[in-house]
Amino acid sequence: MMESVGVYGFCGCKAKNKMKCDSRWEIAASETAPTSAYSSPARSLGDTGITPLSPSHIVNDTDSNVSEQQLFLVVVAIDFGTTSSGYAYSFTKEPECIHVMRRWEGGDPGVSNQKTPTTILLTPERKFHSFGYAARDFYHDLDPNEAKQWLYLEKFKMKLHTTGDLTMDTDLTAANGKKVKALEIFAYALQYFKEQALKELSDQAGSEFENSDVRWVITVPAIWKQPAKQFMREAAYQAGLASPENSEQLIIALEPEAASIYCRKLRLHQMIELSSKAAVNGYSGSDTVGAGFTQAKEHIRRNRQSRTFLVENVIGEIWSELEEGDKYVVVDSGGGTVDLTVHQIRLPEGHLKELYKATGGPYGSLGVDYEFEKLLCKIFGEDFIEQFKIKRPAAWVDLMIAFESRKRAAAPDRTNPLNITLPFSFIDYYKKFRGHSVEHALRKSNVDFVKWSSQGMLRMSPDAMNALFKPTIDSIIEHLRDLFQKPEVSTVKFLFLVGGFAEAPLLQQAVQAAFGDKCRIIIPQDVGLTILKGAVLFGLDPAVIKVRRSPLTYGVGVLNRYVEGKHPPEKLLVKDGTRWCTDVFDKFISADQSVALGELVKRSYTPAKPSQLVIVINIYSSEHDDVSFITDPGVKKCGTLRLDLTGTSGTAVPARREIQTLMQFGDTEIKATAVDIATSKSVKVGIDFLNY
């Protein structure tokens, strides 16, 4: 199969169209587009390719998402986080009630257990054993030698963000060093949530609740590339949440968008304001950061028995202050990533428009854990830490749990030290490994701010703990500063700080200090559940986000008529006496281009041979807007569009068979459908970012 198919581009955009037109296309089209039918140009006779029948244009799909949610009795959202996960649901007949999942068994003292750790345990035979606190506690209680046989995984979601060449065969590494297929692990985790949610719904309904009654919503970071989003969908199919045949049953929600949707509903008593611009609940920027937040958390704890949140159908007080065109930033700071999105309010319905494409990076609270691990390597040696993780995997987990609880106690005004208990096996194994004590290692390491306590603990000064946060927080602030430089982001009215990491007083203080004089900084009270509750609201009304920005430029590789002096000589291809320029990037949509929900790019093609049954178009993407050829730097093949016409060979077809293709970019995922006009057969089309 050749790299670019025999297609060349037309642009029939008119000024009234909402999507911008690249004028260079119009010039190219007038120069290169013949008006009569022709043999499809191709590199080889073996690949007949396809030819366009009509100019590309945009249609507004007014029926998109209309009454779709009425087919389902309930919306269940799964917030699949890097460090913790949970689910919530709402019955479509009672959209104002959001129910957060049952309490989890296990849990840590003083830590809210409305979510469970994103940890999974497989038996030595690689079968699913348990998830969350149950997995962690069982693994902890295993005999050290037996633990080496079990496969324990935590914080594995980040693999989807950090793997550049993600495929269905991508591996994860368990705590014991053994490899396991990532797709298998994600499917096990989603299947666990599916079973938990269906059991709870069945118990509540008093009869068996069917999966077909549920619309599922899974949250992912907005900065994830398309392969990672597709990977999550494939895992959900494998877990039985939905199927390719019924793909609408599953929606992929972007985490900061979900948070944005929920924040629209906030009442004054449901939020804390950090900035110095105004005071909410009697707290202002001059008060100690975190004081109002501590009070809010106490209020939540007291009301923990009620797991039902009432969401009023009216717009919250904060939103009532917003006027048409007002802008705000959502900073979703989670365990793995920080996601930044800029939205603009559209009245009267209060719909949201994405103003600037999602940005962010791997600046979640995991960064603090990595800094702690680096500190341990500095004190005890990288070779020892690596060996200890492999030889005593369960003890390493215990050590990181101990660090996690101390990490949560870090605060700007803290004066007393933080004690982190070292597992006995750490102390014992270190002595065997090095031949001297942990205390000796600390003395000779020249790390002054960490001391040894005779109770078997590392004693960290508050400054030492704060130093572990600094690189991650600095990255977040720097990224926000860059964002505030953009013209689209000037005059932002609010900054909503959400996600689990938003609970950290050190992050709150840093954001307040840097941006408190530019905009009002708001934190929802139950900040760790903001995305989960917003994802339920999104599942009930997916059309609430009306305009998004395309994160990348998308197009296909085509052949255009060769123009002397304009096209590079090395791109010349002569076929059947016609001179073609090969490898031309035929653009569907530009990076950062606004796309309204329901707008589709529509094109008609014909196979060069009417009998051709499978048509393949290679899709390319780039972060740059000015792409001319698929061979330009930074252009990556990111998927394959397959039009499968098998099963229609016996039908009488015209000389030029029309395949109408519609591609939709305005949703959280790129969607495509195709219709064979001759037979009215709807052809399954999948844009595949993983299997090429």
Side-chain angles (χ1 to χ4, degrees):
M1 188 64 69
M2 65 179 190
E3 196 63 358
S4 64
V5 294
V7 190
Y8 55 89
F10 289 91
C11 183
C13 293
K14 303 288 189 287
K16 66 182 179 181
N17 283 333
K18 295 178 187 174
M19 293 174 80
K20 296 181 287 187
C21 173
D22 185 332
S23 58
R24 288 172 301 155
W25 269 31
E26 294 180 295
I27 296 164
S30 61
E31 286 175 354
T32 62
T35 53
S36 59
Y38 63 94
S39 297
S40 175
R43 287 180 188 273
S44 65
L45 294 171
D47 189 345
T48 52
I50 57 176
T51 66
L53 279 177
S54 64
S56 65
H57 59 286
I58 289 88
V59 296
N60 195 55
D61 182 11
T62 51
D63 297 327
S64 178
N65 294 306
V66 174
S67 301
E68 216 175 68
Q69 64 269 31
Q70 300 307 316
L71 302 172
F72 303 101
L73 298 179
V74 67
V75 169
V76 179
I78 300 171
D79 180 7
F80 197 129
T82 303
T83 52
S84 60
S85 300
Y87 69 87
Y89 58 93
S90 178
F91 294 97
T92 48
K93 287 183 178 175
E94 295 179 307
E96 66 284 350
C97 291
I98 297 176
H99 308 272
V100 176
M101 61 278 159
R102 291 174 175 159
R103 295 190 178 198
W104 302 101
E105 290 178 22
D108 299 324
V111 177
S112 156
N113 65 341
Q114 289 201 287
K115 282 186 173 181
T116 196
T118 308
T119 55
I120 194 166
L121 183 64
L122 306 189
T123 66
E125 295 75 39
R126 296 175 176 254
K127 301 292 182 199
F128 175 81
H129 180 271
S130 48
F131 187 90
Y133 286 119
R136 206 187 70 183
D137 296 345
F138 186 91
Y139 184 63
H140 167 273
D141 293 338
L142 284 171
D143 174 85
N145 287 322
E146 197 183 346
K148 291 178 200 171
Q149 306 307 314
W150 290 66
L151 286 86
Y152 179 83
L153 295 101
E154 60 180 351
K155 298 163 186 166
F156 48 86
K157 181 183 167 190
M158 273 301 281
K159 183 78 173 182
L160 300 196
H161 180 70
T162 55
T163 305
D165 54 348
L166 185 69
T167 70
M168 304 285 268
D169 294 322
T170 294
D171 284 329
L172 296 172
T173 306
N176 62 359
K178 291 182 181 173
K179 303 277 188 194
V180 61
K181 289 276 176 283
L183 189 67
E184 201 177 304
I185 295 300
F186 279 83
Y188 275 144
L190 291 171
Q191 190 176 351
Y192 169 80
F193 280 110
K194 173 191 161 190
E195 288 168 3
Q196 292 285 319
L198 288 177
K199 186 175 187 308
E200 181 169 347
L201 289 166
S202 298
D203 290 349
Q204 198 162 337
S207 60
E208 198 68 23
F209 215 89
E210 297 295 329
N211 186 63
S212 56
D213 295 328
V214 179
R215 158 165 272 174
W216 296 95
V217 182
I218 298 176
T219 64
V220 302
I223 54 171
W224 269 14
K225 298 286 194 293
Q226 291 296 344
K229 292 175 190 170
Q230 184 187 330
F231 187 95
M232 196 61 101
R233 181 171 280 279
E234 294 291 342
Y237 289 162
Q238 196 162 309
L241 273 68
S243 65
E245 295 73 33
N246 190 18
S247 61
E248 295 300 324
Q249 190 177 358
L250 170 67
I251 298 177
I252 301 292
L254 307 182
E255 288 162 0
E257 281 192 357
S260 188
I261 292 163
Y262 178 69
C263 288
R264 293 190 321 150
K265 304 281 189 180
L266 286 175
R267 315 294 293 179
L268 283 178
H269 66 274
Q270 295 170 316
M271 63 186 90
I272 307 299
E273 180 147 5
L274 293 183
S275 50
S276 50
K277 290 233 166 182
V280 172
N281 293 345
Y283 288 93
S284 70
S286 58
D287 293 311
T288 304
V289 174
F293 201 69
T294 305
Q295 188 188 66
K297 286 205 286 189
E298 192 54 45
H299 172 76
I300 292 157
R301 277 202 194 96
R302 282 199 299 272
N303 291 283
R304 189 65 80 190
Q305 295 307 316
S306 170
R307 294 179 303 103
T308 301
F309 293 85
L310 292 178
V311 181
E312 297 176 46
N313 285 323
V314 298
I315 298 297
E317 284 104 335
I318 283 284
W319 243 255
S320 64
E321 294 180 36
L322 289 170
E323 298 169 0
E324 177 82 40
D326 276 352
K327 307 167 188 175
Y328 62 95
V329 177
V330 177
V331 180
D332 169 24
S333 45
T337 53
V338 166
D339 249 347
L340 313 174
T341 45
V342 185
H343 281 153
Q344 188 174 41
I345 198 82
R346 298 174 80 192
L347 298 175
E349 305 92 345
H351 287 138
L352 309 179
K353 174 182 179 180
E354 187 182 14
L355 273 190
Y356 188 75
K357 65 181 179 182
T359 61
Y363 319 132
S365 61
L366 273 190
V368 185
D369 299 351
Y370 293 143
E371 288 300 316
F372 178 61
E373 191 175 326
K374 274 164 64 178
L375 178 65
L376 292 176
C377 288
K378 188 175 178 184
I379 297 168
F380 303 109
E382 195 173 332
D383 55 344
F384 167 73
I385 295 298
E386 288 307 310
Q387 275 298 304
F388 181 71
K389 283 161 79 172
I390 293 165
K391 299 289 188 186
R392 301 283 189 275
W396 175 256
V397 170
D398 286 348
L399 175 55
M400 294 312 290
I401 291 167
F403 174 70
E404 179 67 29
S405 65
R406 297 291 78 208
K407 184 172 83 173
R408 290 169 182 267
D413 53 354
R414 189 181 179 97
T415 53
N416 53 325
L418 294 128
N419 296 322
I420 298 159
T421 304
L422 282 182
F424 172 74
S425 61
F426 185 100
I427 299 165
D428 183 56
Y429 190 69
Y430 183 77
K431 185 145 194 178
K432 287 176 186 164
F433 189 88
R434 286 273 191 256
H436 57 247
S437 68
V438 163
E439 189 178 357
H440 177 79
L442 266 165
R443 273 203 309 273
K444 68 169 195 160
S445 68
N446 297 323
V447 178
D448 317 333
F449 41 78
V450 181
K451 304 293 182 195
W452 177 244
S453 154
S454 55
Q455 287 85 29
M457 293 185 286
L458 292 179
R459 180 165 289 194
M460 294 184 72
S461 71
D463 287 348
M465 180 61 86
N466 296 0
L468 299 182
F469 280 78
K470 193 175 186 310
T472 303
I473 290 177
D474 285 354
S475 294
I476 295 169
I477 299 300
E478 187 183 340
H479 209 92
L480 267 169
R481 281 215 174 93
D482 289 345
L483 186 67
F484 271 83
Q485 299 301 315
K486 310 289 180 194
E488 301 93 332
V489 191
S490 57
T491 66
V492 161
K493 218 168 193 178
F494 294 102
L495 185 154
F496 290 95
L497 192 56
V498 303
F501 197 24
E503 292 187 13
L506 290 167
L507 177 60
Q508 293 173 20
Q509 185 197 48
V511 172
Q512 180 201 354
F515 307 104
D517 59 341
K518 292 184 175 64
C519 57
R520 292 170 64 183
I521 298 164
I522 308 289
I523 304 182
Q525 271 190 7
D526 214 354
V527 68
L529 297 177
T530 300
I531 291 158
L532 190 51
K533 290 185 277 189
V536 174
L537 294 172
F538 182 61
L540 292 165
D541 180 17
V544 67
I545 308 278
K546 288 295 183 190
V547 180
R548 285 189 174 86
R549 294 273 176 163
S550 175
L552 298 170
T553 296
Y554 288 97
V556 297
V558 303
L559 302 173
N560 276 353
R561 280 289 181 95
Y562 188 83
V563 179
E564 204 72 51
K566 176 188 173 185
H567 293 137
E570 67 271 16
K571 298 288 184 189
L572 174 62
L573 173 74
V574 180
K575 189 167 180 59
D576 299 332
T578 305
R579 290 155 62 85
W580 298 99
C581 178
T582 188
D583 294 335
V584 175
F585 187 95
D586 182 10
K587 194 185 299 181
F588 274 71
I589 190 171
S590 298
D592 208 28
Q593 184 171 326
S594 286
V595 195
L597 188 70
E599 284 186 353
L600 302 98
V601 179
K602 178 179 175 183
R603 293 185 182 178
S604 290
Y605 297 108
T606 184
K609 286 183 182 173
S611 60
Q612 189 178 336
L613 296 180
V614 178
I615 300 155
V616 177
I617 302 173
N618 290 320
I619 301 169
Y620 297 85
S621 66
S622 172
E623 293 181 2
H624 308 293
D625 181 23
D626 53 341
V627 183
S628 302
F629 298 99
I630 61 172
T631 51
D632 286 356
V635 177
K636 294 177 182 173
K637 183 176 166 189
C638 66
T640 302
L641 184 60
R642 292 185 179 87
L643 310 183
D644 187 354
L645 305 178
T646 50
T648 61
S649 52
T651 313
V653 293
R656 287 199 304 168
R657 186 173 199 157
E658 182 178 354
I659 311 297
Q660 200 172 79
T661 311
L662 297 99
M663 292 188 68
Q664 183 179 353
F665 290 95
D667 215 331
T668 57
E669 299 171 279
I670 297 172
K671 295 178 181 176
T673 54
V675 180
D676 179 20
I677 300 300
T679 59
S680 298
K681 179 187 174 185
S682 184
V683 182
K684 291 177 194 174
V685 177
I687 296 184
D688 190 349
F689 293 89
L690 293 169
N691 295 310
Y692 52 84

